[in-house]
Amino acid sequence: MAEHERSVVSAVIRSGEYVAVVAHTAAALAALTYRGRDLVVPFAPEAPIPDYRGIIAAPWPNRLVDGRYRVDGREFAVRVNEAERGCALHGLAFGRKWVLAAHDDASATFALDLGPCAGYPYQLRLEAVYALRAPEPGDPGGLTWSVRAVNSGEETAPYGVCPHPYLVAGPSPLDSWELGLPAEQFLEVTSERMLPLGLRRVAGHPFDFCEPRPIGSVEIDHAFTGVRFDSDGMARVTLRDPAGNGVGMAWDGTCPWVQIHTADKRPPAPNRLGLAVEPMTCPPNAFASGTDLVWLSPGEEHVARWRIYMLEA
């Protein structure tokens, strides 16, 4: 890549009839289309990112209660950025400008050196790779999206990651979209602050989408686990418009959790524009609980990847 290209603040990639746009802020997925049809809720790549759309949440996904955690008897506090709930939301990387490290027609790589900083005395090198692949017979192709984290510091670092796309099945209202979510448990939370309470089974609950069915009026902003992985080691969420077209998202066992959010907003904000599907390496508040938390030794790396692809009728 030519040196002048490093100043480019977003990247457009194409393969077949897929087109994606990645912003340099948060290395966020700003748009993904197939044949001109949105597969995610888009935003202007040079504008402020609304509702954390398409960001990479690292070094923790979701919420850290009170912004506090302990490691080896030391207590750390990071900035609370969700004041109404008193939580530190979506990590430290989302507000940063990532560097475009490589770019060709069908792929783009963004990089960020993260930390040490207030409340996180560790140092990580993050690389986000976006690669498009055109459909082939029996394979819808799509966007592969990966994040590689390397501990470039001298201390073992706590770490977690997730993407934050809002999927779009089609032009019909979200209530009519058919969701398939292969997860047998969800994390119950308090109503006001969304503090974790404990796991519940989805069986017999409105959150049971193990067999695909319309979302209806149910409101979801919860983490799910007990994820079913198929014979290829992949979990697959499907979302279809009543016309039959839709979007799918797949990931492997590095993410045993997935946050689902129906993007409910109070008027006059746009309501239920898309379905957030966020495969997570660990659950909310993992820095404090330790549940499924990744510990990166100096020089060690961790890679998580996801794929978003079209579904046709």
Side-chain angles (χ1 to χ4, degrees), residues 23-28 49 56 58 91-99 110-117 124 126:
H24 77 143
T25 300
I49 300 174
I56 293 166
L92 302 169
F94 66 84
R96 300 283 301 276
K97 307 295 186 184
W98 295 50
V99 173
F110 285 79
L112 176 70
D113 290 312
L114 181 67
C117 56
L124 302 177
L126 301 177

Side-chain angles (χ1 to χ4, degrees), residues 129-145:
V129 179
Y130 293 83
L132 280 177
R133 184 164 51 83
E136 299 176 353
D139 183 348
L143 176 73
T144 298
W145 178 2

Side-chain angles (χ1 to χ4, degrees), residues 151-165:
N151 185 343
S152 53
E154 298 180 353
E155 290 190 75
T156 298
Y159 175 73
V161 68
C162 83
H164 203 288

